Amino acid sequence: MENISAAAKLFGSLFYYPLNNENNTQYINYIKQSEDLDDTEFSNFIRAYEATDNELVADDFQRLFEGCDVMPAPPWGSVYLDREQVIFGDSTLRFRQFLLNHNIELNTGMREPEDQFGLSLLAMAMMIDQEKDESVISELLSEHLLPWSYHYLELVKKHSKTDVYKTLSDITAGWLAALQKELNITPHEYKLYF
């Protein structure tokens, strides 16, 4: 589970913070220095990152994850799972209660929905680090993240203007699929509204 936690922290950070954030800069430098980089999916990510102007990457992040007008790939589960396509919807409240039941507090200093994709992965890492039972991790994935995340990652890939986020979406979807298989998880089938 330690490897799962490390990957969840990495992907959570890359989907929550801009890539020029100090945390992500450290992750990217660590990936670049990896001895087996050329044998991993991350080699494409690093190539795209190094070949793309930082301002374009920042603009892509802002448009995809923070929004200014209409967001083409909203990063909150409730937008996909609630009929009204709102943030802080019923599915957010269910996820919040799930986190409270397992003594996980996501204090970002802002009033924001806990079901943001990156935050959800960071919550999963916290649970693993607190040695929660594997069934709790499976519940987080099957009930709160996997029902909408593959669709979300496809939208990020489709609407990204840089290969950086297109590649990151592919890598993350592949990791989630491998994790789903490894933990033998069947995601709950909720209707998606977005």
Side-chain angles (χ1 to χ4, degrees), residues 97-113:
Q97 189 59 51
F98 170 78
L99 295 174
L100 287 172
N101 291 346
H102 295 287
N103 300 313
I104 298 295
E105 183 181 350
L106 298 175
N107 186 357
T108 63
M110 298 184 291
R111 185 178 182 273
E112 63 182 322

Side-chain angles (χ1 to χ4, degrees), residues 72-191:
W76 305 282
S78 61
V79 173
Y80 301 91
L81 299 175
D82 291 326
R83 184 181 310 276
E84 292 82 22
Q85 300 176 0
V86 295
I87 59 173
F88 290 109
D90 289 341
S91 65
T92 305
L93 300 179
R94 282 194 310 272
F95 186 51
R96 181 180 293 158
Q97 189 59 51
F98 170 78
L99 295 174
L100 287 172
N101 291 346
H102 295 287
N103 300 313
I104 298 295
E105 183 181 350
L106 298 175
N107 186 357
T108 63
M110 298 184 291
R111 185 178 182 273
E112 63 182 322
E114 295 86 345
D115 63 346
Q116 196 271 359
F117 182 74
L119 273 181
S120 298
L121 292 174
L122 294 171
M124 183 172 81
M126 289 172 69
M127 289 181 163
I128 293 169
D129 291 349
Q130 292 180 6
E131 299 181 1
K132 302 290 184 197
D133 189 85
E134 188 177 302
S135 65
V136 174
I137 307 307
S138 294
E139 183 181 350
L140 184 153
L141 288 164
S142 66
E143 292 293 322
H144 302 287
L145 190 60
L146 292 178
W148 63 277
S149 62
Y150 294 119
H151 177 64
Y152 161 69
L153 291 168
E154 277 298 315
L155 290 176
V156 171
K157 181 179 176 180
K158 177 180 176 183
H159 295 288
S160 176
K161 294 191 177 194
T162 66
D163 286 339
V164 175
Y165 285 109
K166 289 177 185 180
T167 305
L168 183 59
S169 296
D170 281 342
I171 296 169
T172 308
W175 174 71
L176 284 173
L179 185 58
Q180 180 181 335
K181 184 177 180 181
E182 179 183 336
L183 299 179
N184 195 25
I185 294 171
T186 302
H188 190 92
E189 291 188 27
Y190 292 108
K191 181 174 180 177

Side-chain angles (χ1 to χ4, degrees), residues 3 19 34 45 47 59 62 66 68 76 101 118 132 147 168-169 178 188-189:
N3 288 341
L19 294 187
S34 173
F45 170 74
R47 274 196 293 278
D59 288 349
Q62 201 278 329
E66 295 175 334
C68 35
W76 305 282
N101 291 346
K132 302 290 184 197
L168 183 59
S169 296
H188 190 92
E189 291 188 27

